[in-house]
């Protein structure tokens, strides 16, 4: 299933997908997030969460030194005049629905980060500043779109995987999936309609889709939202 798409006319798009299962009023809506986008994208996601969700399940490793370093690659590009993009800024406190965050704590993430091979941590420490500098000087939305495609939805036949991939992606996937299974078992037998919105980076949606389908849920509708167009507003 394709959650992120890049086209010449529509730019970068994210698919909001609803999952339903026969015999239960519980539904899940998947919001594959790109963490650097036009403000209108986050405004639309916020409006949809308020209107259609009874619970929001959101990612977020709070207070981690390692995650601040890892996310510098996109945080440093927010507000860049040529790109005209902002960092994800959804205010959960204003949604009017409960928000669950089944993610690692900052201390837990930092502890596991320190256990990773030094060569990988050193490589990332050198790569992120170089990438940020290059993007600020010469980067375009088109280049960013190609990079996001590769980073957010890696190919199934990818032969090599880093230890950092396991920490940043798979270990956190398992925490999220445990929360989804718990919610399913707690609410699947109830008759009142209930929708849980899953607000996670697009890279996590493969594991989410597999888990939901294992529980008997199937896609029941989708809609594309524009993350950003391919035109640089500040290029002129």
């Amino acid at each position: 299933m394709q959650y992120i798409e890049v086209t010449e006319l529509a730019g970068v798009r994210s698919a909001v997908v609803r999952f339903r299962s026969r015999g239960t009023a519980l539904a899940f809506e998947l919001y594959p997030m790109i963490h650097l986008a036009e403000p209108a994208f986050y405004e639309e996601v916020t409006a949809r969460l308020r209107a259609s969700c009874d619970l929001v399940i959101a990612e977020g490793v709070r207070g981690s030194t390692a995650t601040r370093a890892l996310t510098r690659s996109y945080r440093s590009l927010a507000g860049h005049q040529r790109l005209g993009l902002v960092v994800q800024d959804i205010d959960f406190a204003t949604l009017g629905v409960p928000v669950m965050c089944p993610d690692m704590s900052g201390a837990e993430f930092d502890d596991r980060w320190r256990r990773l091979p030094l060569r990988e941590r050193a490589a990332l420490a050198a790569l992120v500043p170089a990438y940020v500098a290059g993007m600020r000087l010469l980067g375009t939305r088109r280049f960013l779109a190609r990079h996001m495609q590769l980073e957010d939805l890696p190919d199934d036949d990818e032969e090599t995987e880093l230890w950092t991939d396991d920490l940043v992606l798979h270990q956190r996937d398992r925490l999220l999936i445990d929360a989804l299974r718990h919610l399913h078992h707690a609410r699947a037998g109830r008759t009142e309609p209930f929708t849980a919105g899953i607000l996670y980076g697009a890279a996590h949606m493969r594991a989410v889709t597999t888990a939901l389908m294992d529980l008997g849920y199937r896609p029941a509708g989708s809609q594309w939202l524009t993350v950003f167009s391919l035109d640089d507003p500040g290029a002129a």
Side-chain angles (χ1 to χ4, degrees):
M1 180 175 296
Q2 188 172 12
Y3 284 103
I4 301 297
E5 178 181 82
V6 180
T7 69
E8 187 66 29
L9 293 177
V12 179
R13 303 196 300 177
S14 173
V16 177
V17 182
R18 188 172 181 85
F19 279 75
R20 298 295 304 268
S21 178
R22 290 184 178 181
T24 177
L26 176 61
F28 293 90
E29 280 190 354
L30 277 56
Y31 291 82
M33 298 304 292
I34 298 294
H35 303 308
L36 191 68
E38 292 175 350
F41 172 67
Y42 300 124
E43 292 167 4
E44 178 66 18
V45 170
T46 299
R48 286 170 177 263
L49 293 173
R50 286 177 180 151
S52 64
C53 295
D54 302 288
L55 170 71
V56 172
I57 303 172
E59 70 176 322
V61 179
R62 310 291 186 221
S64 165
T65 302
T67 56
R68 283 196 296 271
L70 290 171
T71 59
R72 183 186 168 196
S73 61
Y74 62 79
R75 287 188 295 105
S76 297
L77 300 177
H80 191 281
Q81 184 175 3
R82 182 174 61 253
L83 296 175
L85 303 176
V86 300
V87 172
Q88 181 175 326
D89 60 351
I90 295 173
D91 187 352
F92 296 125
T94 67
L95 295 179
V97 298
V99 177
M100 174 193 300
C101 184
D103 215 328
M104 293 183 187
S105 68
E108 183 179 14
F109 189 94
D110 284 348
D111 178 63
R112 297 186 185 190
W113 174 261
R114 287 189 290 268
R115 301 181 189 180
L116 297 181
L118 178 60
R119 64 181 182 275
E120 288 191 22
R121 288 182 285 144
L124 283 172
L127 178 62
V128 170
Y131 173 79
V132 171
M135 280 296 298
R136 292 190 68 86
L137 286 173
L138 303 171
T140 65
R141 287 189 177 194
R142 291 176 183 274
F143 178 84
L144 190 61
R146 290 194 296 271
H147 174 76
M148 283 181 172
Q149 266 193 306
L150 294 172
E151 289 298 311
D152 285 330
L153 292 176
D155 295 333
D156 286 321
D157 60 356
E158 192 171 4
E159 295 182 357
T160 59
E161 189 165 84
L162 301 176
W163 288 99
T164 46
D165 295 328
D166 181 61
L167 173 58
V168 173
L169 190 63
H170 304 311
Q171 292 185 40
R172 296 171 62 221
D173 282 345
R174 289 192 284 273
L175 295 174
L176 171 57
I177 290 168
D178 285 345
L180 299 182
R181 289 174 176 161
H182 178 77
L183 180 62
H184 164 75
H185 292 304
R187 297 205 62 96
R190 302 188 186 183
T191 58
E192 65 273 16
F194 190 94
T195 297
I198 304 174
L199 194 77
Y200 263 70
H204 297 276
M205 293 304 167
R206 180 183 300 166
V208 170
T209 298
T210 299
L212 290 179
M213 295 187 74
D214 287 345
L215 292 170
Y217 293 84
R218 296 294 182 269
S222 64
Q223 186 173 356
W224 289 106
L225 302 182
T226 298
V227 179
F228 59 80
S229 69
L230 298 183
D231 297 323
D232 296 322

